[in-house]
C-alpha cells in the first residue's frame, strides 16, 4: 500500500527506532509510548487489521508472535507484558496496517483484559 504509514516505516522510507527485524517482521518503538516499554510489531507485508487475517497470510501473524517472544527476551520483559491489537473504529485503530502493541514496565491492572 503506497500511502500506508507502517508500510513506509517497514521499508525504511519513514524513520523509526528499530527494535527487531527479519525477512517478514519489523518492530519499532511507539512514537507516543503508553508504558515504559511500548513496541509495535508489524508484518512487513500490508494486512489491514486482525479482521483481514486468513489462510493466505496467517503465517505472517505467527511470525509476528515468534518475534514478540524474541523481543520480550531481548528487552528482558521478565515481569510480564501485554500484547494488544486494535481492530477497527470501536477499538480505536488509527493505523490500518496490522500491528501488535507490546506494553510492559508497569502494572497494567485488570481493566480491558
Ligand atoms: P493504533 O491506535 O492501535 O492503530 O496504534 C497506532 C500506534 O502507532 C499508536 O500507538 C501511535 O502512537 C503509533 N504511531 C503513529 N505514528 C507513528 C510513527 N511514525 N512511529 C512510531 N509509532 C507511531
Ligand atoms: Zn501497510
Amino acid at each position: 500500500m503506497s500511502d500506508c504509514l507502517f508500510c513506509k516505516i517497514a521499508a525504511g522510507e519513514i524513520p523509526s527506532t528499530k527494535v527487531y527485524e527479519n525477512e517478514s517482521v519489523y518492530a519499532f518503538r511507539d512514537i507516543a509510548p503508553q508504558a515504559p516499554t511500548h513496541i509495535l510489531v508489524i508484518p512487513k507485508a500490508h494486512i489491514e487489521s486482525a479482521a483481514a487475517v486468513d489462510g493466505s497470510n496467517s503465517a505472517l501473524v505467527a511470525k509476528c508472535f515468534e518475534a514478540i517472544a524474541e523481543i520480550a527476551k531481548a528487552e528482558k520483559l521478565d515481569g510480564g507484558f501485554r500484547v494488544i491489537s486494535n481492530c477497527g473504529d470501536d477499538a480505536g485503530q488509527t493505523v490500518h496496517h496490522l500491528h501488535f502493541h507490546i506494553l510492559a514496565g508497569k502494572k497494567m491492572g485488570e481493566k480491558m483484559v
Side-chain angles (χ1 to χ4, degrees):
M1 287 265 293
S2 57
D3 61 345
C4 171
L5 173 64
F6 284 179
C7 281
K8 288 180 177 161
I9 285 178
E13 293 166 13
I14 289 177
S16 65
T17 305
K18 181 167 84 171
V19 170
Y20 176 95
E21 182 174 18
N22 67 24
E23 68 284 356
S24 49
V25 176
Y26 188 77
F28 54 104
R29 302 212 182 266
D30 197 292
I31 203 167
Q34 295 189 32
T37 297
H38 187 169
I39 294 165
L40 299 172
V41 180
I42 64 172
K44 287 183 175 177
H46 184 85
I47 301 172
E48 190 91 357
S49 74
V53 174
D54 60 22
S56 74
N57 58 24
S58 58
L60 294 173
V61 178
K63 292 284 184 197
C64 286
F65 274 85
E66 289 173 24
I68 287 168
E70 284 194 40
I71 291 163
K73 281 194 200 91
E75 296 276 320
K76 299 185 174 31
L77 306 182
D78 304 325
F81 58 94
R82 184 168 285 175
V83 178
I84 293 176
S85 188
N86 293 321
C87 178
D89 290 343
D90 281 0
Q93 184 180 6
T94 58
V95 179
H96 295 274
H97 179 127
L98 178 66
H99 53 281
F100 299 98
H101 299 256
I102 301 176
L103 297 156
K106 69 172 186 181
K107 279 276 181 200
M108 279 167 270
E110 295 172 10
K111 290 272 168 66
M112 292 301 279
V113 310

